[in-house]
Amino acid sequence: MISLVSSALDLQQGRIDLSHGAGGRAMVQLIGQLFAPALHNEFLAQGDDGARLPLCHGRLVMATDAHVVSPLFFPGGDIGCLSVHGTINDVAVMGARPLYLTASFILEEGLPLSDLARVVESMAAASRAAGVPIVTGDTKVVQRGKADGIFITTTGVGVLRDGADVSGAYAQPGDVILVSGPLGDHGMAIMSVREGLSFDAPIVSDTAALHGLVSDVLDAAPGVHVLRDPTRGGLSATLNEIAHQSGVGVVLQEAQIPVRSAVAAACELLGLDPLDVANEGRLLVIVPAAQADAALSALRAHPLGREAARIGDVVADDRYFVQMHTRMGGQRMVDWLAAEALPRIC
Amino acid sequence: MISLVSSALDLQQGRIDLSHGAGGRAMVQLIGQLFAPALHNEFLAQGDDGARLPLCHGRLVMATDAHVVSPLFFPGGDIGCLSVHGTINDVAVMGARPLYLTASFILEEGLPLSDLARVVESMAAASRAAGVPIVTGDTKVVQRGKADGIFITTTGVGVLRDGADVSGAYAQPGDVILVSGPLGDHGMAIMSVREGLSFDAPIVSDTAALHGLVSDVLDAAPGVHVLRDPTRGGLSATLNEIAHQSGVGVVLQEAQIPVRSAVAAACELLGLDPLDVANEGRLLVIVPAAQADAALSALRAHPLGREAARIGDVVADDRYFVQMHTRMGGQRMVDWLAAEALPRIC
């Protein structure tokens, strides 16, 4: 018998082939030599078809996200940390404490093992920093030309915080709208790489885990109505969704919305609106006016919220319009992005 | 404003384009008109970035699986029901009651909406039949040629049954090995389509949700040591894994291993060993000898276990060999499938 199990993967020159997804020795070798050492934790070490987790009591929250970002590596991050942050954030904005993640990989034949190792190391670092372990996973391999390098789906489980009751359906006229920082960094970091744009100061993705920030905001302003991370479709899509879910209107103040100058410049060059561009580490907070200052202070006191701003108000509007007072003194509709301007941004 | 939200998807002639993954109106339309009606349940209807679930108490179990099977539709099933069964089974063989599933879709631009609708309907039917709702999901779209139709990752959460303590690491010398039915049906159903083989009676996938069967077996034989569904790599890979995890050997009796004649014939034609071929609705049970009869009776009393059989024994072997007494009276090693003989079988 050839004992492939004990031979070493060539992490410098090796490439993924179909045998790495076939359930045999090569797959065991990939898991044992690449995934397991990087992501190591007591749950993953169980080595069964899933993970047995500790006793848990409370209302569960689940969220899942497929990640297909292209390119795999970009200024400020990569598909690995992005896939950890994205799902942690989806759990956190439900008002829950994220506890566990799962990760499933779809790999394209020919993928350099060095790229995979770099991505998995990045996931591991993000997971450790967030304190949310990746407890089980799966790997499939498809033929060359049937995927694009690496796709990662992460799923998160959390437990609802006591008293937390937030939903996109809970915005009310009179509520105040806050964002935790400048908009459009992630999307324009990706687009800059794709379009070969360069700036004096490169645009860096804002990808980050927001559960700590969410926790601080809910402690300071327990009456918060809505929490969201404005990812695909940007602030425009997120606010239009919330307006429809809650049956309200929104009025934004353009002059108050933070956008970095490089992001604004890149958007202008590419004919994009920063409000349509994805963020991966920004928190949208909709809060009753009486708690708005407390929420804003909590945001600004956190490293991820230093540039937080109050950007608008929820109003009564049975057309569910999102409108904006422009810098020029006019008013315009903030519609959802209709087209495919920004594919594979996350 | 164009109100795309209220226009209707063309489910007969329409195709997926990049806008369906871009976070805007087209995505809302796809979710609202295709996913939500098919998969409808109270959790999915919350419409937030994740699902808020009821109070839960116990030890959680999580499992995740990416599904990349090709072709998408095959005799006995499709990628939709397969993705529901696969993850339910991974949770069930941990000794847990599956409670909730999430589903993430990676779609290729150009995919007929009719194919997507058929797959989602199949998931919905499988989820309803199993009593395990799909509580939240995600959809991404990649350019034509960057995926292959549909990839689906499902993640399951369950709660460990009281007293259940099963693991691939718990097999002991003297234990008896049972399987719930004939081996190789799923893999050969896929391969028959791919290779254009036809038989008098077509080979049909065994894809099925095994949580009911698992529950009956654990009720009848609470001392069960190991439960597994022998998927990728088939019985060979599963038993070799268990042998390594538990530090034991295995001796199989070829004459006792159920394999349908059409599967045996197709395997011979393609140079495959039925023991290497994936199953998607078969249960492997390793149980102390004293409870073997009870476990076998419970298997046979269930519609999914009528053809259950006792196929071998766990032995002491510090080389962790899986061996087989052949029909011809000889003995051979049952090694793991080394190569990529069966890519994209699940």
Side-chain angles (χ1 to χ4, degrees):
Chain A
M1 284 194 340
I2 308 160
S3 180
L4 280 169
V5 173
S6 55
S7 69
L9 278 182
D10 181 352
L11 291 177
Q12 266 72 56
Q13 302 295 327
R15 289 179 179 270
I16 285 291
D17 63 52
L18 290 170
S19 72
H20 289 115
R25 284 177 185 277
M27 198 172 89
V28 172
Q29 186 187 32
L30 183 71
I31 293 168
Q33 293 182 33
L34 195 152
F35 287 105
L39 301 172
H40 181 76
N41 60 67
E42 58 178 312
F43 310 111
L44 206 60
Q46 292 168 1
D48 282 312
D49 282 348
R52 249 169 264 100
L53 303 167
L55 199 66
C56 134
H57 186 72
R59 285 192 60 189
L60 292 184
V61 164
M62 289 184 83
T64 192
D65 255 322
H67 295 85
V68 298
V69 66
S70 172
L72 297 174
F73 303 96
F74 48 81
D78 56 68
I79 192 172
C81 65
L82 185 69
S83 70
V84 169
H85 296 152
T87 294
I88 286 177
N89 293 349
D90 279 351
V91 172
V93 297
M94 304 286 293
R97 264 189 318 121
L99 294 176
Y100 310 109
L101 293 175
T102 66
S104 98
F105 296 81
I106 296 172
L107 307 177
E108 185 188 9
E109 182 187 15
L111 174 77
L113 286 174
S114 55
D115 281 1
L116 180 60
R118 195 174 150 200
V119 164
V120 173
E121 290 292 350
S122 170
M123 294 184 81
S127 154
R128 272 194 304 272
V132 184
I134 295 168
V135 297
T136 189
D138 184 48
T139 304
K140 295 290 192 306
V141 179
V142 298
Q143 299 90 338
R144 205 180 286 264
K146 299 294 182 185
D148 194 12
I150 308 178
F151 299 147
I152 305 175
T153 290
T154 48
T155 305
V157 160
V159 170
L160 215 59
R161 289 167 51 104
D162 282 339
D165 191 18
V166 297
S167 166
Y170 292 172
Q172 290 180 19
D175 284 356
V176 167
I177 303 173
L178 313 172
V179 289
S180 66
L183 296 179
D185 292 8
H186 174 73
M188 295 320 294
I190 303 284
M191 292 305 286
S192 302
V193 176
R194 282 200 211 149
E195 304 288 333
L197 305 180
S198 69
F199 301 91
D200 292 347
I203 302 175
V204 173
S205 169
D206 55 315
T207 184
L210 295 171
H211 56 321
L213 185 64
V214 165
S215 177
D216 287 1
V217 169
L218 288 176
D219 285 345
V224 162
H225 285 151
V226 184
L227 293 169
R228 277 286 171 89
D229 54 333
T231 56
R232 269 185 295 177
L235 187 71
S236 315
T238 302
L239 285 176
N240 274 285
E241 257 182 67
I242 293 168
H244 276 80
Q245 271 187 276
S246 296
V248 298
V250 163
V251 178
L252 297 174
Q253 306 296 332
E254 187 176 24
Q256 308 303 319
I257 300 176
V259 177
R260 296 191 200 287
S261 55
V263 169
C267 279
E268 205 166 302
L269 211 61
L270 299 176
L272 296 170
D273 183 332
L275 302 193
D276 292 337
V277 176
N279 312 277
E280 292 290 341
R282 298 293 177 236
L283 183 64
L284 177 78
V285 181
I286 302 185
V287 57
Q291 295 189 11
D293 287 342
L296 188 58
S297 298
L299 285 171
R300 287 183 175 159
H302 191 284
L304 291 174
R306 283 202 200 100
E307 298 168 82
R310 172 176 175 153
I311 61 168
D313 300 276
V314 179
V315 298
D317 182 347
D318 54 18
R319 302 158 306 173
Y320 316 150
F321 281 178
V322 179
Q323 303 187 66
M324 184 160 71
H325 289 297
T326 66
R327 268 198 199 80
M328 316 294 286
Q331 183 146 339
R332 74 164 175 93
M333 296 297 304
V334 178
D335 200 0
W336 300 9
L337 187 67
E340 67 288 357
L342 295 168
R344 301 186 58 189
I345 217 77
C346 59
Chain B
M1 284 196 334
I2 308 163
S3 180
L4 280 171
V5 173
S6 55
S7 70
L9 279 182
D10 181 352
L11 291 178
Q12 266 72 54
Q13 302 296 327
R15 289 179 180 273
I16 286 290
D17 63 51
L18 291 169
S19 71
H20 289 116
R25 285 177 184 277
M27 198 173 89
V28 172
Q29 187 187 31
L30 183 71
I31 293 169
Q33 293 182 33
L34 196 153
F35 287 105
L39 300 172
H40 181 76
N41 61 65
E42 59 178 310
F43 311 112
L44 205 60
Q46 292 167 1
D48 280 313
D49 283 347
R52 251 170 262 101
L53 303 168
L55 199 66
C56 134
H57 186 71
R59 284 192 62 188
L60 293 184
V61 164
M62 289 185 83
T64 193
D65 254 322
H67 295 85
V68 299
V69 65
S70 173
L72 297 175
F73 304 97
F74 48 81
D78 56 67
I79 193 173
C81 65
L82 185 70
S83 71
V84 168
H85 296 153
T87 294
I88 285 178
N89 293 349
D90 280 351
V91 171
V93 298
M94 303 287 293
R97 265 189 318 124
L99 294 176
Y100 310 109
L101 293 175
T102 66
S104 98
F105 297 83
I106 297 172
L107 307 178
E108 184 188 8
E109 181 186 14
L111 175 75
L113 286 175
S114 56
D115 281 0
L116 180 60
R118 194 174 151 200
V119 164
V120 173
E121 291 291 351
S122 170
M123 294 183 80
S127 154
R128 272 194 304 272
V132 185
I134 296 168
V135 298
T136 190
D138 184 48
T139 304
K140 295 292 193 304
V141 179
V142 299
Q143 300 90 338
R144 206 180 286 263
K146 299 295 185 186
D148 193 12
I150 308 179
F151 299 147
I152 304 175
T153 291
T154 48
T155 305
V157 160
V159 170
L160 214 59
R161 288 167 52 103
D162 282 339
D165 192 19
V166 297
S167 165
Y170 293 171
Q172 290 180 19
D175 284 356
V176 168
I177 303 174
L178 313 173
V179 289
S180 66
L183 296 179
D185 292 8
H186 175 73
M188 294 321 294
I190 303 284
M191 292 306 286
S192 301
V193 176
R194 282 201 211 148
E195 304 289 331
L197 305 182
S198 69
F199 301 92
D200 291 346
I203 302 174
V204 173
S205 168
D206 56 313
T207 183
L210 295 171
H211 56 321
L213 186 65
V214 164
S215 177
D216 288 0
V217 169
L218 288 176
D219 285 345
V224 162
H225 285 151
V226 183
L227 293 169
R228 276 288 169 88
D229 56 332
T231 56
R232 269 185 296 178
L235 186 72
S236 315
T238 302
L239 284 176
N240 274 284
E241 256 182 69
I242 293 168
H244 276 81
Q245 269 186 278
S246 296
V248 296
V250 164
V251 178
L252 298 173
Q253 307 296 331
E254 187 176 25
Q256 308 303 320
I257 299 177
V259 178
R260 294 191 201 287
S261 55
V263 168
C267 279
E268 205 165 302
L269 211 60
L270 299 175
L272 296 169
D273 183 331
L275 302 193
D276 291 339
V277 176
N279 312 277
E280 291 290 341
R282 298 293 177 236
L283 183 64
L284 178 79
V285 181
I286 301 185
V287 56
Q291 295 189 11
D293 287 341
L296 189 59
S297 299
L299 286 170
R300 287 183 175 161
H302 191 283
L304 291 173
R306 282 202 200 99
E307 298 168 83
R310 173 177 175 151
I311 61 168
D313 300 275
V314 178
V315 299
D317 182 348
D318 54 17
R319 302 157 306 174
Y320 317 150
F321 281 177
V322 179
Q323 302 188 66
M324 184 158 72
H325 289 298
T326 66
R327 267 200 201 79
M328 315 295 287
Q331 183 147 338
R332 75 165 175 91
M333 298 296 305
V334 178
D335 202 0
W336 301 9
L337 188 67
E340 67 286 357
L342 295 168
R344 300 185 60 190
I345 216 77
C346 59

